[in-house]
Amino acid sequence: MLKAIRFVTYSAVVLALLATAVFYGALTLSLPTLSGTASSNSVSETVHLQRDELGTAIIIAENRLDASYALGYAHGQDRFFQMDLLRRNAAGELSALFGEAALPIDENRRFHQFRKRSEAAFKQLSKEDQLTLETYANGVNDALAQLSLPSFEYLVTQTQPLPWKPEDSVLAIFSMYLDLQGRSLERDLLIDALHNNFGDEIARFILQPSPFQAALDGSTIAIRPLSVPDLNPSLLANAGKVTIEKPQAVGSNNWAVRGSLTRNGKAMLSDDMHLGLNVPIIWYRTQINLLSGDDLTQITGVSLPGAPAVVVGTNGHVAWGFTNGYMDTADWYLLSPKEKTTLETETIPLKEGEHKYLLEQSQYGPVKVINGLKYALSWVAHRDYAVNLNLMKLEQAKTVQEAVGVSKNTGIPVQNLVVADSAGNIAWQATGALPDRRKPLSRPEASSRFDQRWWQQATDVPFSINPKTDRIWTGNSRVVSAKQDPRFGNGGYALGARSAQIKQRLMEKDLFDIEDFYAIQLDNEAVFLKRWHASLLEVLEQDAGVFQEDIVALNRWNNCACADSVGYTLVRKYRDALIDALFAPLETKLESQQLSLSLIERQIEPALWQLMMEQPPTWLPAGHESWNAFLTQVYLDMRDALMIEMTGHADGSLQALKWGEVNQLKVQHPFSKQIPILGGILDMPPVAGFGDRFMPAVQGRAFGASQRLIVQPGDEVNGVLTLPGGQSGHPLSPFYREGFENYVNNAFTPLLPATPIHQISFQPQAPIQ
């Protein structure tokens, strides 16, 4: 019997080792070849694709078309599965990879019909731009053809990669629309529900303007004192326990100063875009060198795998960066019963078979039925000016004036473009697809009031060149003047605390260098939460004996979202818990209508603080004899729940609640989230959290600065480009984790590539005789 057990045990071990060997063998066969020569009928001259020690794609070409081929080849080698997810996410085709579990996502995406729109958008591009996307796609597909085996993701999902089509690059841009604007689409419906369910007074109270304003011109939207409206007792009585999602600030920071404010006299730009952090990361280190005789145009920055453009970067004359604009780019229209609509069937492919999805369409946009009424969505992403390749024109700009001029009709989700040039100038412009309609809606209106100018792109986009302050800053809050605000509307602006803190830091000094800008990127001082810290201390000090340890932690909070700060955790989570508790009566009602205050949670601070200061009796949740008793109980419930989450029990030392552990950064591969055993192979090592939502150093558990760029055009050799992960999506690639350590240790990674260690040369294919 013992021999039999040993035999079975040894056999299991041998089989496990054999399976591991086979798995790693398959992974090795799917590694791309990084050196050699090849021929292609898609290039007109010899093109070189080099890699340095980070895996940066260094392209040397004589024209931009050939460079697009090489960039497509590099993307195809290193990131094809990521590109595949981007196009499938936009098109609603994830179920073909992951099965019926992905159907809800696919149906949500099919509402927008982005596959059809991408095909139409491609046909509307100029012949030159069509050729660019076709050449880029050829590069991607040639890279796929060189692989001995598909990448491991296709082995795991038991699927095959499909060729990249030119219009798939348009889908990649549509995927960014969903990421940057998708959450805001139902904002108008929520605001309408606030008015209809709770009355105009409560709606105005919830939506009152923020005191944290940092427009470039210094203008402010007037804040008129509002009385706290009474809350209907039935809402309090029926309130359930809710958790209102606290969405991360998808968007970014950027700022710039003129050359008169830098030590070397050159203008300086900073840009860090805040997005979800996954493996592989979203951006791809890229340098394109265009040789024309003795002239060299060198474009260095990051590209988006799936598209041929350098999204953020510098060309030696001009540097540019983006933050999400959050202007209003979507309106809902109530259809009359007589309004004509059509039904269209969307076919969603599954791993086996297909699924039919019925979509109702109107002349204004796709239709959603709410409480028996039909509403049509007009969204800029559905317009024929939503997508184009005009972003690539920035690569050739020589001055900020030229950069602002060539980017006015760029087809991307509207962004805050900040540019700096080698002559010391700086500029800001709202860049991207903005509708020309005159009055953005904050609530649905009758379709009879549809503004026909929705069909045209706005040409009166706001901009500023060399403002009087010699400084520019944006952080997803309102940038336009108070006078311009009604023209472009609020599409879900950030609270403004982060932008105000960036402005404050820029105003504190009259001279800046690279280190000063990096310090602002890493600024995690809790400026916004100071008043919440004082408020919580006041509550706990009323029973100081019970909360002695808590008070000590609060007094040692270090006024920052620092990794070792327990006090910061307590303040931050206390505020979150108060939002859930105080607005539960509204959220409970809204949830029954498939809506949530999470859509405006970032703007709820003025109402929340006023409730805290005035403590009106009609808002006191049921079951509490006083506001102080309520606030104390909210804190206790929050602390106990958090302690259980972190330790498994409610008792123990508060040291378990250090912010670095509560907000631990975990950069994971999508597969390891579903198959944890793969985490050791696929994920980046977890690290203590640093930063938070309301400060320049934005960081969540799987969210944060997707890149950190600092550059002075003309002095790129001293520039910084730090990314939270490596170039390759292949776990056995030497470039899989390169760069992550610098990122989490807040160290500089040079902007410019190092000496190349690999090179593929593409020769024009000789014509057949």
Side-chain angles (χ1 to χ4, degrees):
M1 183 67 177
L2 184 59
K3 289 183 179 180
I5 293 174
R6 286 176 179 172
F7 176 77
V8 171
T9 302
Y10 291 153
S11 298
V13 171
V14 170
L15 288 173
L17 291 174
L18 182 61
T20 301
V22 170
F23 178 70
Y24 273 90
L27 283 181
T28 301
L29 288 174
S30 63
L31 277 167
T33 301
L34 302 180
S35 297
T37 59
S39 61
S40 172
N41 57 12
S42 295
V43 299
S44 59
E45 306 290 344
T46 299
V47 185
H48 302 291
L49 169 58
Q50 303 174 337
R51 261 78 164 214
D52 68 354
E53 60 191 16
L54 289 175
T56 307
I58 308 165
I59 296 166
I60 304 171
E62 295 187 25
N63 59 75
R64 189 58 175 85
L65 198 61
D66 287 352
S68 294
Y69 173 85
L71 184 57
Y73 197 95
H75 286 166
Q77 283 191 312
D78 290 333
R79 299 285 192 87
F80 184 78
F81 187 74
Q82 175 194 9
M83 296 163 59
D84 197 5
L85 290 184
L86 276 179
R87 65 176 172 180
R88 288 178 180 275
N89 175 60
E93 297 169 356
L94 291 169
S95 298
L97 275 181
F98 303 115
E100 294 188 11
L103 265 179
I105 299 175
D106 282 348
E107 288 189 349
N108 177 278
R109 302 303 190 252
R110 288 299 176 109
F111 184 75
H112 305 290
Q113 296 186 303
F114 281 141
R115 172 61 76 182
K116 292 179 180 178
R117 296 186 195 281
S118 69
E119 294 169 354
F122 175 75
K123 293 176 182 177
Q124 292 174 355
L125 295 175
S126 68
K127 294 298 182 183
E128 179 183 359
D129 287 348
Q130 287 182 4
L131 184 57
T132 295
L133 293 186
E134 288 168 351
T135 303
Y136 173 84
N138 290 342
V140 174
N141 292 326
D142 285 353
L144 282 182
Q146 294 301 314
L147 293 176
S148 300
L149 279 178
S151 63
F152 80 95
E153 295 95 340
Y154 295 102
L155 299 177
V156 172
T157 58
Q158 298 182 320
T159 57
Q160 290 293 321
L162 300 177
W164 190 261
K165 299 177 182 179
E167 58 267 28
D168 290 342
S169 292
V170 178
L171 281 172
I173 300 174
F174 279 137
S175 195
M176 296 307 296
Y177 268 98
L178 289 166
D179 201 15
L180 297 174
Q181 296 182 2
R183 272 192 56 85
S184 301
L185 294 184
E186 295 190 339
R187 187 173 183 274
D188 291 1
L189 298 177
L190 172 66
I191 292 174
D192 196 47
L194 287 176
H195 284 273
N196 295 336
N197 287 310
F198 312 116
D200 294 342
E201 277 192 294
I202 285 184
R204 283 194 296 268
F205 174 68
I206 298 296
L207 299 167
Q208 58 186 295
S210 168
F212 302 94
Q213 301 184 40
L216 277 185
D217 69 344
S219 63
T220 58
I221 294 175
I223 300 175
R224 297 178 176 84
L226 294 176
S227 299
V228 178
D230 290 340
L231 195 62
N232 190 315
S234 67
L235 291 172
L236 283 174
N238 294 322
K241 185 168 183 173
V242 303
T243 299
I244 300 171
E245 183 186 356
K246 317 299 185 299
Q248 295 287 353
V250 173
S252 317
N253 303 320
N254 61 12
W255 59 87
V257 297
R258 295 188 68 183
S260 58
L261 299 181
T262 66
R263 299 184 190 279
N264 63 5
K266 297 179 182 295
M268 190 182 303
L269 168 77
S270 172
D271 187 84
D272 53 290
M273 297 181 282
H274 307 150
L275 295 166
L277 302 182
N278 297 294
V279 179
I281 56 177
I282 188 169
W283 305 116
Y284 187 82
R285 301 180 71 98
T286 302
Q287 184 182 80
I288 297 174
N289 298 273
L290 300 178
L291 298 170
S292 179
D294 294 331
D295 294 332
L296 169 65
T297 300
Q298 188 176 80
I299 308 149
T300 309
V302 295
S303 55
L304 174 69
V310 174
V311 177
V312 165
T314 176
N315 63 15
H317 303 285
V318 168
W320 62 95
F322 295 103
T323 72
N324 200 19
Y326 281 107
M327 293 177 177
D328 192 343
T329 58
D331 290 335
W332 289 85
Y333 289 94
L334 176 62
L335 303 182
S336 72
K338 296 181 180 180
E339 195 85 50
K340 290 183 178 180
T341 62
T342 59
L343 293 177
E344 298 183 22
T345 300
E346 290 284 315
T347 302
I348 301 175
L350 306 174
K351 274 193 168 185
E352 295 181 4
E354 58 188 27
H355 172 76
K356 301 293 185 181
Y357 172 67
L358 201 60
L359 175 65
E360 189 170 8
Q361 285 279 12
S362 73
Q363 60 178 313
Y364 316 105
V367 175
K368 183 174 184 177
V369 179
I370 304 173
N371 295 328
L373 300 176
K374 294 182 178 181
Y375 295 84
L377 172 64
S378 283
W379 181 25
V380 72
H382 298 161
R383 300 294 173 242
D384 58 11
Y385 51 82
V387 176
N388 58 43
L389 297 189
N390 289 349
L391 176 64
M392 295 177 69
K393 293 181 179 180
L394 282 172
E395 297 176 1
Q396 301 300 319
K398 299 295 178 64
T399 66
V400 296
Q401 289 86 352
E402 188 178 344
V404 166
V406 301
S407 62
K408 286 189 183 298
N409 296 312
T410 301
I412 57 175
V414 63
Q415 302 285 293
N416 294 305
L417 167 69
V418 173
V419 293
D421 69 21
S422 56
N425 303 299
I426 57 176
W428 161 82
Q429 180 172 261
T431 294
L434 279 168
D436 196 38
R437 53 89 157 91
R438 298 286 103 178
K439 182 185 176 184
L441 304 180
S442 59
R443 298 173 64 183
E445 288 193 359
S447 59
S448 59
R449 301 185 65 180
F450 179 77
D451 190 336
Q452 295 295 327
R453 284 173 290 194
W454 253 107
W455 306 113
Q456 287 84 45
Q457 185 170 6
T459 57
D460 59 336
V461 293
F463 67 94
S464 175
I465 297 176
N466 292 332
K468 292 180 180 179
T469 61
D470 292 336
R471 300 161 174 85
I472 286 172
W473 59 89
T474 85
N476 311 130
S477 59
R478 177 179 60 86
V479 181
V480 301
S481 68
K483 185 178 180 180
Q484 291 171 318
D485 183 63
R487 163 70 181 90
F488 297 100
N490 180 352
Y493 285 138
L495 174 65
R498 179 161 42 92
S499 296
Q501 191 164 335
I502 293 169
K503 176 184 177 181
Q504 177 185 337
R505 296 293 180 248
L506 291 175
M507 295 301 176
E508 289 172 350
K509 302 189 68 171
D510 294 321
L511 203 59
F512 296 88
D513 57 23
I514 294 286
E515 287 75 15
D516 295 321
F517 267 34
Y518 212 60
I520 298 176
Q521 287 190 356
L522 301 177
D523 178 15
N524 66 351
E525 183 181 348
V527 175
F528 167 70
L529 286 178
K530 282 182 180 179
R531 65 182 187 179
W532 285 100
H533 173 263
S535 176
L536 178 56
L537 262 179
E538 183 179 347
V539 171
L540 300 188
E541 284 175 346
Q542 294 187 40
D543 201 349
V546 173
F547 294 110
Q548 183 177 359
E549 184 183 3
D550 309 68
I551 292 170
V552 169
L554 288 171
N555 286 329
R556 295 175 179 172
W557 81 314
N558 296 326
N559 191 29
C560 65
C562 298
D564 60 353
S565 179
V566 173
Y568 183 85
T569 300
L570 300 178
V571 175
R572 166 70 154 77
K573 293 297 184 178
Y574 171 66
R575 178 182 177 274
D576 285 355
L578 280 172
I579 292 175
D580 294 342
L582 284 173
F583 295 105
L586 308 186
E587 182 72 3
T588 301
K589 179 71 173 179
L590 293 169
E591 282 183 348
S592 67
Q593 301 168 12
Q594 288 76 54
L595 291 169
S596 172
L597 287 171
S598 67
L599 295 175
I600 58 168
E601 184 271 339
R602 295 196 301 179
Q603 291 102 54
I604 215 167
E605 172 70 13
L608 175 65
W609 187 250
Q610 190 173 349
L611 290 174
M612 287 291 295
M613 291 299 96
E614 298 185 21
Q615 300 186 357
T618 65
W619 282 76
L620 179 64
H624 299 281
E625 61 184 21
S626 69
W627 268 83
N628 188 66
F630 160 68
L631 297 175
T632 302
Q633 192 62 50
V634 166
Y635 174 77
L636 284 170
D637 291 346
M638 174 279 297
R639 188 192 64 183
D640 290 351
L642 189 58
M643 188 70 77
I644 292 170
E645 177 186 339
M646 298 302 297
T647 69
H649 54 81
D651 300 321
S653 171
L654 288 180
Q655 291 305 304
L657 303 184
K658 291 179 179 178
W659 183 243
E661 298 302 315
V662 172
N663 195 42
Q664 186 182 63
L665 177 63
K666 295 181 179 180
V667 182
Q668 296 180 274
H669 192 283
F671 281 13
S672 74
K673 296 175 184 178
Q674 304 300 321
I675 313 172
I677 195 173
L678 296 177
I681 301 172
L682 300 179
D683 296 346
M684 297 297 130
V687 294
F690 176 92
D692 197 12
R693 300 172 62 198
F694 306 109
M695 52 197 61
V698 169
Q699 192 244 294
R701 288 180 172 179
F703 186 89
S706 61
Q707 44 71 244
R708 296 178 183 139
L709 170 71
I710 305 173
V711 62
Q712 295 179 278
D715 188 28
E716 281 74 13
V717 69
N718 290 310
V720 175
L721 179 58
T722 305
L723 276 69
Q727 285 284 93
S728 174
H730 197 297
L732 296 188
S733 167
F735 310 131
Y736 188 71
R737 302 180 192 275
E738 285 299 314
F740 180 75
E741 186 174 353
N742 273 2
Y743 179 87
V744 297
N745 290 321
N746 300 329
F748 288 3
T749 303
L751 166 66
L752 293 181
T755 303
I757 56 177
H758 298 285
Q759 176 173 290
I760 303 174
S761 297
F762 302 99
Q763 307 285 346
Q765 189 168 325
I768 298 176
Q769 300 295 326

